[in-house]
Amino acid sequence: MDFAISPAETLASARLTIDLGALAANWRTMRERSGRAEAGAVVKANAYGVGTGPAVRALAAAGCRTFFVASFDEAQAARDAAPKAVVYLLNGLLPGSAADLSALDLRPVLGSLDEVAEWAAWRRRTNRGAAAIHIDTGMNRLGLTPDEARALAADRDLIAEIGPSLLMSHLASADIAGSTTSARQLALFRELRRLFPGVPASLANSAGIMLGPDYHFELTRPGIMLYGAIASPELPPLLPVATAEGRILLVRDVPAGEAVGYGGEQTMVRASRIATIGAGYADGYHRVAGSSDRRPGGRVAIRGGIAPLVGRVSMDLMTADVTDLPDVGRGDWVELFGPTIPVDEAAAVAGTIGYEFLTGLGRRYHRRYVGA
Ligand SMILES: *Cc1c(COP(=O)(O)O)cnc(C)c1O
């Protein structure tokens, strides 16, 4: 789904710049890291907030042939953008949805024996469509249990009816340094995939790709790293893709001793110049990233300088201390996150992760796509 409403830039209090060239470059980086495996792309949740249609077109142009989405509307958007691509629905087969999926040549990732049975019935009737089988190797969320997978593998007729095009599982802790969970999941997945000879396999998300070739199998499923998040010293250099900015509506002088914003949570310790910025939690910048006398909040970047937020983040507004940035004024764009303030940093101040900041971007941004 693309956001239908994108206000004109001159009329927008907030804007989002999506660098599709950076997205394609990050995908090429992950493809190299995937070694001999094919690199797919996960474009669920409106392509992690950046826009399914533009993201899929850019990735397909870069050579990506396989896309993963969560829901049907996302799958439709991916199909529109890439008519020939393979599109998998990670949320699987909802009751009665096989005909709609097949009409658009979308592939469900079958996550339970009920889904397997319903898909097999559809295939018996129509002989149409392909599907993946998801095996749960330790996340206890989606997928057949190992015992269910063993029973299914023994039923050659049922396997033939399903016509599986992919066998997949998902890592629970690939991004947690020192975790032994991934190795356990890998061992189990290896054992189970031997029961499905000839079916390509896929295990690794972004962090899983970084665990090395053992995890790559035939197809990898990078998501977050395509969008430039969870960068760390061990990871390849990734380019920021989304830059979120708010516009300065006005700059005012606030005397020492006065408080700023709802609840008066932060009192100025010096005479200050405070910029009021036209973006807030309704735009996905979490309220808890605000600042108080007890705890500093997030930082924003303006005209090459850095300004700390002051006071609470409200629905449509946030306030930043620009006392030390004398050139800053009305109409200036302020980076909330992007090349200067990494999305992971902004998210960490809010006690969350880059995934949530990106997918929580609101609908009010003027969206512009560059680098295609
Ligand atoms: C979201 C998701 C991915 C991508 O994960 P990242 O951590 O964003 O790379 C891969 N596989 C499955 C099943 C997912 O749900």
Side-chain angles (χ1 to χ4, degrees), residues 6 11 26 69 75 103 111-112 115 117 121 130 154 157 166 226 233 249 269-270 282 288 291 328 338 356 366:
S6 175
L11 301 175
N26 289 343
V69 297
S112 70
E115 292 180 31
D157 294 340
L166 186 70
L226 303 179
L249 308 181
V269 296
R270 60 173 177 175
V288 290
S291 181
V328 163
E356 192 175 8
H366 167 74

Side-chain angles (χ1 to χ4, degrees), residues 187-206:
L188 183 53
F189 188 60
R190 277 185 160 154
E191 174 203 324
L192 294 170
R193 79 164 303 204
R194 281 198 287 273
L195 307 176
F196 297 84
V199 182
S202 175
L203 179 62
N205 61 347
S206 297

Side-chain angles (χ1 to χ4, degrees), residues 42 44 48 68 90 134 141 168-170 203-207 221-225 230 355:
V42 181
K44 61 196 181 187
Y48 290 57
F68 293 86
L90 292 168
H134 190 166
R141 203 178 62 167
M168 63 164 265
S169 189
H170 192 39
L203 179 62
N205 61 347
S206 297
R221 306 190 306 270
I224 192 71
M225 288 172 73
I230 62 155
Y355 294 75

